[in-house]
Amino acid sequence: MTSDNADRSRRLLVGGMSAGLVTAFASRASAQEGGAAAKPAAAAASTPAEALQDPTTKYPKPPFPAQTQEWPGLASKMDPKPDHGEESYKGSGRLAGRKALITGGDSGMGRAAAIAYAREGADVAINYLPQEESDAKEVVALIEAEGRKAVAIPGDLRDRDFCNKLVEDAARELGGLDILVNNAGRQQAKESLLDISDEWFDWTFKTNVYAMFWLTKAALPHLKPGSSIIVTTSVQAYDPSENLVDYAMTKACGQSFTKSMAKQLAPKGIRVNGVAPGPVWTPLQPSGGQLPEDIPQFGADAPLGRAGHPAELAGIYVLLASNENSFATGQVYGAVGGHGGP
Ligand code: NAD
Ligand code: MG
């Protein structure tokens, strides 16, 4: 093949590739040919520049409009609307063919992870509560728009039998399971310990701790080497607030579970990592996660000066599940807006 023909077939071949793949392909082709470096430079020049984004002004700063919602809340009713990456997340095949179950996948961090996973090539099952069907439908449509399989399984994670069934149904519908994201959570602010009833305490622990235990146990027989378990913990695990006592205790459990299970499962080639968000604008907050008077200034004390949006954490959930992160297990990745990390 003459070098002109080689150039033309390379151009035809890369016509349908993303900019990133074009650059990667051109670099590899040039290296294989031992050729001069001109080609990769030309390809790189065609890659559109990614504009710098100032994280202090990327999203609205407090004050937020005062608002409350009945628990568990809907993303669609929040003002401003949270950004889950619907318009912005760009995939590049990092999770091609993977099969993920995400709890709390209808909204917040779970929705951001679901969108990102689908755009990275994964099929995704989401769990949520029946009251959240309208949010869940939007996520299903977004996953299917990527040509990926979406499985919607509503139900209450406080029920052990439901947790077992959820994992079995997800694995059957997806044809396997290799990513489990324990993300669903219950957070209700209470000013005094005296305001936390046994029933309330149990509700928080069943949702945030028992469900993680039951789901992970049920998932283990399905997980092959290379699989990932991801736990959404919190800044509350290591810097607990005075009005989130029960919740913060459960998040410390999540952090501990991440680290012990990482050691237990490392010899099996299964990685376990956590994500510790700081203040993020999700329905959990105006539906009782914060005292109503704290909503307008939610996130204002973060060094970045604002609350985060779920889309800003999507890349962490992708990284933790992907092969490129294969030496990281037992880690908790913080996204707290500038305060100290886990
Ligand atoms: P979110 O309200 O969007 O998501 C929480 C989800 O939990 C809900 O959508 C709901 O589907 C699910 N859920 C709650 N109780 C359930 C139950 N009994 N059965 C089944 N599902 C149930 O809010 P989010 O902030 O994205 O929360 C996701 C995770 O992030 C939670 O674990 C939360 O503790 C954690 N987190 C949030 C923040 C924040 O500021 N938003 C900060 C740190 C950690
Ligand atoms: Mg929700």
Side-chain angles (χ1 to χ4, degrees), residues 245-312:
V245 175
D246 56 336
Y247 173 81
M249 290 168 73
T250 65
K251 292 294 158 177
C253 288
Q255 182 157 318
S256 172
F257 184 73
T258 299
K259 288 173 185 281
S260 59
M261 287 306 298
K263 290 174 187 157
Q264 183 180 118
L265 296 180
K268 297 189 192 308
I270 299 167
R271 297 183 298 109
V272 188
N273 291 292
V275 182
V280 183
W281 188 239
T282 70
L284 170 141
Q285 302 296 358
S287 65
Q290 299 295 313
L291 299 172
E293 60 269 29
D294 292 338
I295 285 290
Q297 289 303 319
F298 180 64
D301 63 349
L304 285 177
R306 63 172 175 85
H309 278 250
E312 298 182 279

Side-chain angles (χ1 to χ4, degrees), residues 39-64:
K39 297 290 186 294
S46 69
T47 305
E50 184 79 9
L52 283 176
Q53 295 179 336
D54 180 345
T56 66
T57 54
K58 187 171 173 181
Y59 289 105
K61 291 192 181 213
F64 292 113

Side-chain angles (χ1 to χ4, degrees), residues 160-313:
R160 180 179 48 189
D161 292 343
F162 173 71
C163 286
N164 289 335
K165 186 169 159 19
L166 169 62
V167 170
E168 294 315 316
D169 288 355
R172 191 186 59 253
E173 295 287 322
L174 296 172
L177 185 68
D178 45 45
I179 303 171
L180 170 65
V181 184
N182 284 303
N183 168 74
R186 162 109 172 153
Q187 171 184 326
Q188 294 285 300
K190 294 281 177 198
E191 258 168 318
S192 166
L193 195 68
L194 301 176
D195 299 332
I196 304 176
S197 66
D198 285 1
E199 188 203 5
W200 206 254
F201 188 78
D202 199 52
W203 191 338
T204 309
F205 267 78
K206 281 272 160 50
T207 312
N208 299 2
V209 181
Y210 280 67
M212 174 174 67
F213 166 67
W214 290 326
L215 292 167
T216 306
K217 215 169 156 179
L220 282 183
H222 295 282
L223 303 180
K224 297 190 177 68
S227 299
S228 263
I229 298 170
I230 298 167
V231 176
T232 304
T233 71
S234 172
V235 60
Q236 293 293 325
Y238 55 90
D239 187 13
S241 299
E242 64 278 15
N243 60 11
L244 292 173
V245 175
D246 56 336
Y247 173 81
M249 290 168 73
T250 65
K251 292 294 158 177
C253 288
Q255 182 157 318
S256 172
F257 184 73
T258 299
K259 288 173 185 281
S260 59
M261 287 306 298
K263 290 174 187 157
Q264 183 180 118
L265 296 180
K268 297 189 192 308
I270 299 167
R271 297 183 298 109
V272 188
N273 291 292
V275 182
V280 183
W281 188 239
T282 70
L284 170 141
Q285 302 296 358
S287 65
Q290 299 295 313
L291 299 172
E293 60 269 29
D294 292 338
I295 285 290
Q297 289 303 319
F298 180 64
D301 63 349
L304 285 177
R306 63 172 175 85
H309 278 250
E312 298 182 279
L313 287 80

Side-chain angles (χ1 to χ4, degrees), residues 310-336:
E312 298 182 279
L313 287 80
I316 305 176
Y317 287 87
V318 170
L319 178 71
L320 293 180
S322 76
N323 287 333
E324 68 202 276
N325 203 33
S326 47
F327 201 54
T329 191
Q331 309 300 309
V332 178
Y333 286 50
V336 178

